[in-house]
Amino acid sequence: MNSPSRTVAPPDRALSIAMLGAGAGGMYCGSCLRDNTLAATLMRLGQRVTLIPLYTPIRTDERPASIARIFYGGVNVYLQSASRLFRTTPRILDRIWDQRWLLKIAGRFGAQTPPSKLGSLTCSIVRGLDGPTGKEIDRLIDFLRREVRPDVVTLPNAMFIGFAEPIRRELGAAVVCELTGEDIFLEALTDPWRDRVREEIRGRARFVSRFVATSHYYAGVMADYLGIARAQIGVVYPGLSAEFLTGTAERGSADRGGRTLGYLARICPEKGLNRLFDGFVELRRSSAGRKARLHYAGYLGAAHRRFHDQLRRKISAAELSGAVHFAGELDLRSKHEFLREIDVFSVPAAWPEAKGIYLLEAWAHGIPVVQPASGSFPELIDATGGGVLVPPDDPKALAAALARLLDDPAEQARLGDRARRAVFEHFTDEHMAHGMLEVFRSALAPAELHLAASGASIHRAFL
């Protein structure tokens, strides 16, 4: 079939944007929160946006911007990948497996499955129409054609790159692939799937109109992974919603000088909670950290409960249980309440971070951070002036930096206030939305103009 024609959209015309968002199995996920904020802000700016959940429902701690229907449902994808029988079943039967309550349950169980056991399923998804889940993609394209008629379709990450070719061929829409931290999953696949999936993704990169990453660091990582020029990947940093920023408050001098260290991220080795616990034990041995407390919060899945129990036993053995408090998973209101009690923030991630939204949330509350010099952290701290960098995986260096900051209220105020101003000036939902609109319009430009619309113009929209 011939591709429908595509023309450059006038700069003042509202775009029809179909955002595909991958649900995270019932947990609060940084990418889901970002997608929801971006969709809501683009709508507020006058764009025609349809945020479409894939796999499982999208969970957010703010007003949901997604449609109620779910496409590429996780149960159907699993069944069709596992058995030929389900690849030809009628839609009336498939609809049973797409019920929201069932997908939520399946998502929770799926989140417990390590990537090492998902190689075959991942390869099926990456292959798109060439894989066993083609009828689910056909259903999505039919919906887009009849009800959305998009100018631009965004893919949530490179694992959905198999959607790009049929979307461009059938709809004539530009395809923008977001790069938001999928490397942590892709690199955890076992042989032979890790290399096979990478080969499949690289082979389909040519069907993507534009790539966009959440940091310069991650753009470089994925340029190498995809085998493409770095100039083909734009950068648009995440931005906090107006709803979130409204719940923050500037800190006065009377609010400084506390001794509470905070962590707000998923409870797992990748986010480095074990490193923070080691650093906290070291911190409490110093004179400056003798009265320090550690408050931490975040989603704890069944797969990491043993990991968490081991950390709690370590704290108990150090006789510090009374100084450590776990607040669990937080909604928006609880998140603000939690952050108001924090004096210094740290998420010493073991896997280099692509986004760092939790840093923006801490900075919006005027909290300085101590972070490892890896991933996106150096560029975010350079852009905001809101923290201190330490060598990765060095508990003593982490403890020393935390002790200095906890013992210096004036420095807490200087770093925290500067970072708060930077977030309100450069890391808002509207900055993110305008940056993404520039990406979308460059994707709609004729092919010969794509290289001219380099990442530099997108960066200027942000910093």
Side-chain angles (χ1 to χ4, degrees), residues 59 76 81 85 105 179 207 218 288 290 320 334 363 366 381 416:
R59 188 182 181 201
N76 272 309
S81 296
L85 171 66
I105 294 173
L179 306 170
F207 298 113
Y218 199 57
R290 195 166 294 142
L320 293 174
S334 300
W363 284 330
I381 288 177

Side-chain angles (χ1 to χ4, degrees), residues 133-440:
T133 60
K135 73 173 180 178
E136 295 300 308
I137 299 176
D138 285 337
R139 176 178 166 247
L140 171 64
I141 290 176
D142 184 58
F143 168 77
L144 293 173
R145 180 189 294 113
R146 289 185 294 103
E147 300 191 32
V148 182
R149 298 183 294 280
D151 299 304
V152 178
V153 178
T154 71
L155 308 180
N157 56 62
M159 288 184 283
F160 291 90
I161 203 167
F163 290 23
E165 189 273 335
I167 286 173
R168 289 188 66 173
R169 184 183 70 243
E170 298 296 329
L171 305 177
V175 176
V176 172
C177 182
E178 302 189 55
L179 306 170
T180 61
E182 57 269 57
D183 63 322
I184 190 170
F185 179 90
L186 293 170
E187 291 301 323
L189 298 174
T190 55
D191 294 331
W193 299 111
R194 184 192 302 111
D195 291 341
R196 191 174 300 176
V197 166
R198 181 172 182 168
E199 182 180 346
E200 293 285 353
I201 289 176
R202 281 189 165 197
R204 288 165 172 78
R206 69 186 186 277
F207 298 113
V208 173
S209 310
R210 289 288 281 152
F211 290 94
V212 58
T214 50
S215 63
H216 292 277
Y217 153 76
Y218 199 57
V221 167
M222 292 306 292
D224 178 69
Y225 184 92
L226 294 164
I228 62 177
R230 170 63 184 80
Q232 291 181 251
I233 305 177
V235 173
V236 177
Y237 290 108
L240 299 182
S241 71
E243 184 177 356
F244 183 91
L245 293 176
T246 299
T248 67
E250 192 168 1
R251 297 190 176 203
S253 57
D255 300 317
R256 301 292 183 179
R259 299 280 177 169
T260 303
L261 170 63
Y263 168 105
L264 177 56
R266 194 157 52 93
I267 308 302
C268 62
E270 294 84 357
K271 297 299 182 185
L273 183 60
N274 52 322
R275 294 181 173 186
L276 186 61
F277 273 43
D278 290 341
F280 182 70
V281 172
E282 288 285 339
L283 172 66
R284 289 282 300 210
R285 292 171 180 163
S286 68
S287 57
R290 195 166 294 142
K291 295 183 179 180
R293 300 176 298 273
L294 171 59
H295 291 187
Y296 67 103
Y299 173 81
L300 173 59
H304 293 117
R305 286 175 188 159
R306 181 178 295 179
F307 164 78
H308 185 240
D309 289 342
Q310 291 171 345
L311 295 184
R312 297 296 301 191
R313 287 195 292 270
K314 178 182 293 188
I315 288 297
S316 178
E319 299 183 345
L320 293 174
S321 297
V324 177
H325 173 65
F326 178 44
E329 189 177 26
L330 306 178
D331 60 18
L332 182 60
R333 180 179 177 181
S334 300
K335 185 184 294 185
H336 284 307
E337 293 173 351
F338 175 86
L339 289 171
R340 291 187 191 110
E341 300 299 320
I342 302 303
D343 301 293
V344 176
F345 187 87
S346 183
V347 179
W351 189 273
E353 175 64 57
K355 296 186 291 293
I357 294 175
Y358 41 76
L359 295 189
L360 302 182
E361 292 177 336
W363 284 330
H365 279 269
I367 307 170
V369 306
V370 177
Q371 291 297 117
S374 65
S376 64
F377 298 145
E379 66 189 89
L380 290 174
I381 288 177
D382 182 62
T384 62
V388 177
L389 293 170
V390 296
D393 199 16
D394 188 335
K396 291 185 177 180
L398 177 62
L402 291 170
R404 286 193 298 271
L405 202 47
L406 286 169
D407 202 37
D408 191 343
E411 184 68 354
Q412 287 182 33
R414 187 181 72 85
L415 298 179
D417 293 345
R418 187 164 62 182
R420 177 175 162 84
R421 288 194 300 271
V423 167
F424 275 77
E425 291 173 4
H426 300 298
F427 292 89
T428 67
D429 51 9
E430 289 203 3
H431 278 85
M432 173 173 61
H434 283 298
M436 288 301 294
L437 275 174
E438 193 167 341
V439 173
F440 297 156

